[in-house]
Amino acid sequence: MKFELSITIDRPPPDVFAFLRDKDQYPQMEGSPVLALDKTTPGPAGVGTRYREVVQMLPFYQGEILSEITHYQPYRVLEEDFQGAGMHGHLAYQFLPMGAGTNLIQRETIHYHGILSIFEPVIRVVLHHRLQERLKDIKTILESGYLVAD
């Protein structure tokens, strides 16, 4: 299953990049399915940095997702591979300057395992909506003046 989404954010690429690079340091929006997000490797983020997320997958099911940064080009590209909760995949962000802001492009590929693969058509619709909402949340947080450290 592949997704490509984009959103324009009224913040420069270094701010948007720092926010997504240091995703464990920023609050989740109310109603977010992400219940916990921790960086599990020491030091600054870069290739090899790992994260652990606990995500509310269904009303009574929480899943753990482990991810690792695989491509890191400051202010231009940030990519990670992830696995867990019956799936594995790849997430890639591209940061394109657009005036004083950033056109954030998200490309994501997800492969489901086992019984989840049967429900892929339904999951696709729900997940596409969630991914769009997440990009809108990132835009809202960054445009609200939330300070990011670089």
Side-chain angles (χ1 to χ4, degrees):
M1 179 173 359
K2 292 184 179 187
F3 299 95
E4 182 168 332
L5 304 118
S6 67
I7 195 164
T8 301
I9 301 172
D10 191 21
R11 290 288 287 267
D15 289 355
V16 180
F17 182 88
F19 183 82
L20 291 167
R21 174 197 63 204
D22 301 327
K23 61 185 179 179
D24 61 306
Q25 297 179 25
Y26 300 105
Q28 297 295 320
M29 293 292 280
E30 189 172 324
S32 170
V34 178
L35 306 175
L37 175 55
D38 302 301
K39 187 168 83 159
T40 60
T41 51
V47 171
T49 298
R50 294 182 180 158
Y51 297 92
R52 176 187 166 274
E53 294 181 58
V54 177
V55 179
Q56 189 73 48
M57 305 292 284
L58 297 168
F60 301 105
Y61 175 70
Q62 296 175 1
E64 180 179 73
I65 300 172
L66 304 174
S67 61
E68 181 176 340
I69 295 176
T70 58
H71 189 173
Y72 184 91
Q73 255 185 299
Y75 321 134
R76 301 177 83 186
V77 176
L78 183 62
E79 297 183 20
E80 62 182 49
D81 288 337
F82 59 88
Q83 64 180 3
M87 65 179 159
H88 74 275
H90 184 79
L91 172 62
Y93 292 111
Q94 185 176 7
F95 306 82
L96 300 174
M98 182 171 253
T102 304
N103 183 24
L104 174 63
I105 299 170
Q106 176 179 334
R107 295 177 182 95
E108 190 161 359
T109 303
I110 302 172
H111 303 278
Y112 288 96
H113 306 270
I115 196 152
L116 285 177
S117 61
I118 295 168
F119 299 104
E120 196 168 298
V122 173
I123 292 171
R124 174 185 298 279
V125 173
V126 172
L127 188 55
H128 187 267
H129 175 72
R130 274 196 175 171
L131 293 174
Q132 285 179 318
E133 290 303 309
R134 183 171 175 277
L135 285 179
K136 289 176 187 174
D137 289 347
I138 291 167
K139 175 182 176 74
T140 298
I141 291 168
L142 286 169
E143 289 183 355
S144 72
Y146 199 87
L147 297 177
V148 292
D150 194 28

